[in-house]
Amino acid sequence: MKLKVYNTLLLVLITVSAALAQGKVSGIVTSQESNTALSNVEIFEKASGLLAKTNDKGYFEFTTTKKILTLVFFSYEYQVVEIMIAVNGDTTVNQSLESLGEQLTEVEITARKAKVFELSRLNDVEETAIYAGKKTEVILVDQSMANLATNNARQIYSQVAGLNIFQNDDAGLQLNIGGRGLDPNRTSNFNTRQNGYDISADVLGYPESYYTPASEALEQIQVVRGAASLQYGTQFGGLINFKLKSPNPNKTIEFLTRNTLGSNGLYTNFTSLSGTKEKFSYYTYFNYKKGDGFRPNSEFESKNAFMHLGYQLSEKTKLSGELTYMRYLAQQAGGISDAMFNEDAFQSNRTRNWFQVDWLLYNVKLAHEFSDNTNFTFNFFGLNAERNALGFRTNRQDIPDNFEERDLIKGEYNNFGFEARLLNKYKLFGKEATGLIGTKFYKADNTSIQGPGSDGIGPNFELQTEDYPNYGNQSNFDNPNLNVAIFGENIIYLNDKWSVTPGVRFEYIKTESDGFSKRINLDAAGNVILNETEFSDDANERSFVLFGLGTSFKPNDSVEFYANASQNYRSVTFSDINLVNPNFSVRPLVDETGLTADLGFRGTYKKVVSFDVSAFSLFYNDRIGITLEVQNDNSVRKVRDNIGDAFIFGLESLVDIDLNKLFIQDSKYRFNYFINTSVIHSEYTKSDETGIEGNQVEFVPQLNLKTGLRFAYKNLQASLQYTYISEQYSDAPNSGNDPLGSSGIIGLIPAYDILDFSLSYKYKQFKLETGINNVLDNTYFTRRATGYPGPGILPSPPRNWYATLEIKI
């Protein structure tokens, strides 16, 4: 009832107040030299951010209630212009821009991008999304000085506070990031999107991201913490949205190619084409990777293609379509035990383990402006994908491969859905307000099959049930899911400096599991002594409402105080329950619930220091994890269960200091120092399991530190980054070492520190990048895998180098 009343009131307010008059500012932007119209020029208000962009005729317009505005006209090819205007009813502002007339150095380009970043960070409103009062972070990928060719997450996400990263892959085939006590495995605790639409295997039933966009194709990575649950779904981590580069609006064809060589036989190629012709625009790329890996038995090959096509139907309507395909095959070196790690951290005794992924994503988007104050977007998206895991995977890593039949797990993911959003700016009691209402429909049909694979060496992903009918690990499940959601948020500006944003989300979820699993036991002679088939036909329907409230106070243009509290929810996944493993058992599970709260302030000080300092708390109920259970024969079995309730809180801070403005004061130079710190305390506050209450929560290092220097002179840039992560537990019982003796699956993840160095130089259309990762050649690991690509300890890469040549025409 409360939800119905709230949405009804919101719709009434939007409808009634949309007609209230506001001052309109419009005009045409032209080139000073040729007097031709300039497209894609961004018009900012200096105090609040992006207001409009010019269309292909150079025209722009926006509405405002302010009487005095300071406007900034920005384009990379033209001089930045800043003017002050008085708004009186309908106001016309025609502006000409002067061409730069010379090629900018890398320092100058970076400075211009930095200015854009100050103005275009996630504003209160972006297209049809609301971010007021939320903790948001934006990564400008081109400025990261990271190894983009291998998606080096430690470097790319260096200025996002508190992220915990699994680092066991030197190719960046998968992204594994978590934070605030959330499992980093395949980024499964974030809602992961590309250009605003879902890309994970199954948002509800299997929210793991086997596909990660090529970093060389990214313009931004937008991170919104737990408060994103109201607009984007129920994951505790929040939202990660990969915003790919847009078509070049000023060229018919722009060509870019990047070729990278590196340690361990690494070779990558990234080639893109981009352009605009009248109303038609496009951006497409192909990304190829191959290498031998830093351990034996870890070769890989990956192919990733993407295409964006856009058509401007009218000044107010745009239709676009996107298609993404990725396929990769990787040999997996397998996990190792603690004893093996101490003996030789990079050894491998698994020669027949393989992993293959096929990922096909599609999306069609319609964006329409009903009026100056009302925007509408509609996304229809879908996924057809599969992943295959094959290998010998006993939990005793020191046992050599018996070269018999291998374990094969096959997953197919077919889903589609749509999301519609309507955003309206209006007046409420004489003050500005913005209302958002949206809906999402999502339907998935997934299958999960486990059984005997071949006894060969290569990647044969066909089931061999006829040859091995008595194989012990067999199952076959269909897992259809249905999700319908309605959500709304409303920014209420109490005055020019203070806003309050209430929000609500209604969820209907139906998850099903229909299939069977087998228990087959053999005696020492190989005769069947037990053959049981357990059938499952479960359906779980639930509906609930999530609430949230945020507030933002901006005493001036340089500082913002923000706070937010939002409810979170995470559905039990079918990977949690459809498990056939003699060393694991699963108890009946319930969904996880909780609440995330943020309180912080961010801004700049005298254009020298930029900062974001915040405190957070996370209440996590019925957390699913792994505990230990003693069997009748005194053996110990790992059990997946709702461990209990946890409370996690901490301080996160990012401070960036422009040392050039402090000491050098020369526009030819760029000299920055940053420090990114997260200090977290975690505790299980309630548990029915023995020995859990009072323990630390797994995947929570108490100190997470990243700091570094960035220096540039003209076209030469260099970066030095240091990372330190304190020790963390991998299981709820807080095992100090592996109690099973030799599996490496659970236990402490020791503290580690890493030093990275990067260097780049640009000459005309050429750019050379190089670097050394893990300069000090530290031996460490960040992950104890319970299944693929382990099980066991997965070592992290030793010292390695890379070199990239970029050509842009």
Side-chain angles (χ1 to χ4, degrees):
M1 180 60 70
K2 289 182 178 179
L3 175 64
K4 183 177 180 180
V5 171
Y6 178 87
N7 284 335
T8 302
L9 179 60
L10 178 63
L11 286 171
V12 170
L13 288 173
I14 291 175
T15 304
V16 172
S17 57
L20 294 177
Q22 293 179 315
K24 184 175 78 170
V25 179
S26 62
I28 296 176
V29 180
T30 58
S31 167
Q32 186 172 310
E33 288 79 13
S34 63
N35 201 35
T36 56
L38 297 180
S39 63
N40 213 45
V41 176
E42 297 175 321
I43 297 93
F44 298 89
E45 183 193 0
K46 196 169 184 180
S48 62
L50 184 66
L51 295 172
K53 288 185 181 181
T54 59
N55 61 18
D56 57 348
K57 297 180 181 179
Y59 178 78
F60 72 91
E61 70 175 41
F62 61 87
T63 58
T64 181
T65 59
K66 297 183 179 180
K67 301 301 180 184
I68 302 294
L69 291 175
T70 300
L71 299 182
V72 178
F73 293 81
F74 182 89
S75 172
Y76 283 118
E77 290 81 16
Y78 293 85
Q79 298 283 1
V80 176
V81 173
E82 183 177 312
I83 63 173
M84 182 177 290
I85 66 169
V87 180
N88 184 13
D90 290 349
T91 304
T92 300
V93 180
N94 295 324
Q95 183 64 48
S96 62
L97 302 184
E98 181 182 356
S99 176
L100 289 172
E102 60 180 352
Q103 187 173 13
L104 297 178
T105 69
E106 280 296 287
V107 170
E108 291 169 325
I109 291 173
T110 300
R112 289 169 69 82
K113 287 182 178 179
K115 186 169 185 178
V116 174
F117 175 64
E118 282 184 17
L119 296 168
S120 63
R121 64 191 180 195
L122 287 180
N123 297 301
D124 289 357
V125 176
E126 300 263 355
E127 195 177 42
T128 54
I130 286 177
Y131 300 113
K134 297 176 173 62
K135 182 174 177 64
T136 65
E137 292 146 309
V138 177
I139 300 169
L140 298 181
V141 178
D142 284 345
Q143 293 190 50
S144 62
M145 282 294 291
N147 183 1
L148 301 182
T150 60
N151 293 349
N152 190 312
R154 183 176 66 244
Q155 298 171 1
I156 295 172
Y157 296 84
S158 64
Q159 294 194 326
V160 178
L163 287 187
N164 194 7
I165 303 169
F166 283 164
Q167 303 166 39
N168 55 274
D169 170 9
D170 61 352
L173 298 179
Q174 293 180 12
L175 180 66
N176 294 282
I177 62 175
R180 300 179 174 181
L182 303 176
D183 188 346
N185 185 42
R186 300 191 185 98
T187 319
S188 59
N189 283 283
F190 284 93
N191 182 287
T192 52
R193 298 191 173 203
Q194 174 178 281
N195 290 342
Y197 55 89
D198 293 306
I199 62 174
S200 60
D202 184 317
V203 175
L204 292 170
Y206 196 58
E208 301 194 6
S209 298
Y210 289 96
Y211 157 73
T212 302
S215 296
E216 292 160 303
L218 295 178
E219 177 182 321
Q220 292 183 1
I221 303 174
Q222 300 170 342
V223 182
V224 184
R225 295 307 178 104
S229 60
L230 300 183
Q231 284 187 65
Y232 295 101
T234 56
Q235 297 302 326
F236 276 77
L239 168 75
I240 292 181
N241 182 41
F242 300 102
K243 185 178 179 182
L244 274 69
K245 294 177 180 178
S246 302
N248 188 320
N250 301 313
K251 289 184 178 181
T252 304
I253 299 178
E254 179 184 76
F255 171 80
L256 181 145
T257 185
R258 291 167 56 90
N259 289 276
T260 300
L261 296 176
S263 299
N264 309 307
L266 174 70
Y267 170 72
T268 77
N269 171 267
F270 175 86
T271 299
S272 69
L273 290 172
S274 173
T276 301
K277 179 67 173 178
E278 297 178 346
K279 295 184 177 182
F280 174 75
S281 60
Y282 67 94
Y283 177 72
T284 182
Y285 73 78
F286 179 76
N287 185 213
Y288 176 77
K289 297 180 182 182
K290 72 172 183 177
D292 299 325
F294 65 92
R295 297 173 63 195
N297 309 313
S298 58
E299 63 180 280
F300 59 87
E301 184 179 46
S302 169
K303 301 171 185 177
N304 175 208
F306 170 82
M307 176 174 284
H308 166 95
L309 300 176
Y311 190 78
Q312 195 74 39
L313 297 173
S314 67
E315 288 186 2
K316 295 183 178 296
T317 307
K318 183 175 183 179
L319 182 67
S320 61
E322 294 183 356
L323 189 66
T324 304
Y325 178 70
M326 183 194 69
R327 177 185 176 91
Y328 74 78
L329 174 66
Q331 189 175 13
Q332 297 187 323
I336 57 179
S337 67
D338 291 80
M340 295 171 69
F341 179 84
N342 294 329
E343 174 189 338
D344 177 5
F346 306 111
Q347 65 179 291
S348 167
N349 59 1
R350 300 290 181 258
T351 60
R352 304 188 302 144
N353 291 15
W354 297 88
F355 192 76
Q356 180 179 274
V357 169
D358 277 271
W359 221 254
L360 178 65
L361 286 160
Y362 55 89
N363 181 71
V364 177
K365 179 180 179 180
L366 176 68
H368 178 70
E369 296 181 20
F370 285 105
S371 69
D372 297 337
N373 296 320
T374 306
N375 290 336
F376 173 78
T377 58
F378 178 88
N379 277 289
F380 178 83
F381 56 89
L383 170 71
N384 296 109
E386 66 176 38
R387 69 104 167 93
N388 298 295
L390 173 70
F392 176 76
R393 61 184 197 116
T394 176
N395 283 341
R396 285 286 305 272
Q397 278 69 45
D398 56 346
I399 295 179
D401 192 340
N402 58 19
F403 287 90
E404 297 178 355
E405 69 274 21
R406 292 170 286 180
D407 192 62
L408 175 61
I409 301 177
K410 300 174 66 69
E412 292 188 3
Y413 315 104
N414 299 284
N415 62 64
F416 70 92
F418 67 81
E419 186 173 80
R421 291 164 169 259
L422 178 68
L423 184 139
N424 183 261
K425 298 179 181 179
Y426 63 99
K427 278 193 172 182
L428 180 64
F429 305 121
K431 300 293 184 181
E432 293 184 20
T434 301
L436 166 70
I437 189 167
T439 185
K440 181 179 179 180
F441 174 87
Y442 182 84
K443 183 174 176 57
D445 187 10
N446 310 294
T447 60
S448 176
I449 301 173
Q450 183 175 7
S454 76
D455 60 0
I457 296 175
N460 180 356
F461 298 109
E462 297 297 324
L463 284 166
Q464 310 293 317
T465 309
E466 291 185 2
D467 294 334
Y468 306 101
N470 297 323
Y471 182 71
N473 301 338
Q474 296 189 46
S475 65
N476 190 326
F477 288 95
D478 289 323
N479 298 282
N481 295 316
L482 176 65
N483 178 215
V484 179
I486 301 173
F487 55 91
E489 292 201 49
N490 201 98
I491 308 176
I492 303 170
Y493 291 95
L494 303 179
N495 53 46
D496 292 340
K497 299 179 179 180
W498 188 14
S499 68
V500 176
T501 307
V504 65
R505 184 181 185 93
F506 168 79
E507 290 269 10
Y508 168 79
I509 297 173
K510 182 179 181 181
T511 55
E512 299 178 73
S513 181
D514 182 10
F516 67 86
S517 60
K518 288 187 176 182
R519 289 185 60 196
I520 301 175
N521 294 339
L522 307 179
D523 61 19
N527 300 310
V528 177
I529 58 175
L530 175 68
N531 189 336
E532 293 181 347
T533 301
E534 182 177 345
F535 291 94
S536 171
D537 185 9
D538 298 325
N540 186 6
E541 287 187 83
R542 57 271 206 206
S543 58
F544 53 90
V545 179
L546 301 177
F547 294 96
L549 179 66
T551 185
S552 170
F553 180 68
K554 302 176 183 177
N556 53 54
D557 294 344
S558 301
V559 176
E560 177 188 6
F561 295 86
Y562 61 92
N564 191 287
S566 297
Q567 291 178 290
N568 299 99
Y569 178 92
R570 189 171 191 265
S571 171
V572 171
T573 69
F574 58 77
S575 64
D576 289 326
I577 56 178
N578 295 345
L579 178 68
V580 179
N581 188 326
N583 300 295
F584 266 88
S585 64
V586 180
R587 293 175 181 164
L589 301 173
V590 299
D591 297 333
E592 301 167 308
T593 61
L595 174 74
T596 299
D598 288 286
L599 174 66
F601 67 104
R602 57 196 170 201
T604 59
Y605 177 71
K606 294 186 177 181
K607 297 184 178 180
V608 174
V609 180
S610 62
F611 59 88
D612 188 344
V613 180
S614 65
F616 77 89
S617 60
L618 174 59
F619 299 86
Y620 205 134
N621 302 323
D622 297 314
R623 181 184 173 97
I624 295 174
I626 295 174
T627 185
L628 305 177
E629 183 179 78
V630 179
Q631 305 300 299
N632 294 331
D633 60 359
N634 291 323
S635 64
V636 179
R637 172 179 288 185
K638 291 175 288 296
V639 179
R640 180 166 288 146
D641 193 8
N642 290 104
I643 301 297
D645 299 343
F647 177 55
I648 305 166
F649 67 94
L651 294 174
E652 298 173 335
S653 66
L654 172 64
V655 179
D656 193 304
I657 303 173
D658 190 339
L659 299 176
N660 180 46
K661 290 181 179 179
L662 281 180
F663 302 114
I664 305 175
Q665 297 181 352
D666 187 334
S667 62
K668 296 179 181 179
Y669 292 89
R670 179 190 175 209
F671 194 20
N672 283 73
Y673 170 73
F674 78 91
I675 181 167
N676 173 352
T677 308
S678 173
V679 180
I680 301 179
H681 175 79
S682 65
E683 182 179 349
Y684 277 102
T685 59
K686 180 182 176 182
S687 178
D688 294 331
E689 301 289 337
T690 303
I692 300 298
E693 192 169 315
N695 284 1
Q696 293 184 37
V697 178
E698 57 270 42
F699 309 117
V700 184
Q702 293 184 350
L703 176 61
N704 188 327
L705 171 68
K706 299 179 182 70
T707 185
L709 288 168
R710 296 177 180 177
F711 175 79
Y713 175 70
K714 292 187 176 180
N715 288 330
L716 180 69
Q717 297 189 81
S719 171
L720 189 67
Q721 177 181 312
Y722 175 78
T723 301
Y724 173 81
I725 308 293
S726 64
E727 67 181 24
Q728 55 187 297
Y729 293 103
S730 62
D731 65 334
N734 289 183
S735 306
N737 49 39
D738 184 8
L740 302 184
S742 57
S743 76
I745 291 175
I746 56 177
L748 194 68
I749 298 175
Y752 63 90
D753 64 321
I754 305 297
L755 186 67
D756 298 320
F757 174 73
S758 303
L759 184 72
S760 73
Y761 180 76
K762 183 177 181 182
Y763 177 74
K764 295 183 178 180
Q765 71 267 36
F766 301 98
K767 187 176 183 181
L768 179 65
E769 301 173 3
T770 187
I772 301 175
N773 302 319
N774 192 2
V775 173
L776 302 179
D777 200 21
N778 288 342
T779 301
Y780 69 106
F781 68 91
T782 62
R783 182 178 183 184
R784 293 178 181 269
T786 58
Y788 283 104
I793 292 173
L794 299 178
S796 297
R799 182 192 296 129
N800 60 92
W801 63 272
Y802 68 94
T804 301
L805 176 63
E806 175 184 300
I807 303 173
K808 186 176 182 180
I809 302 173

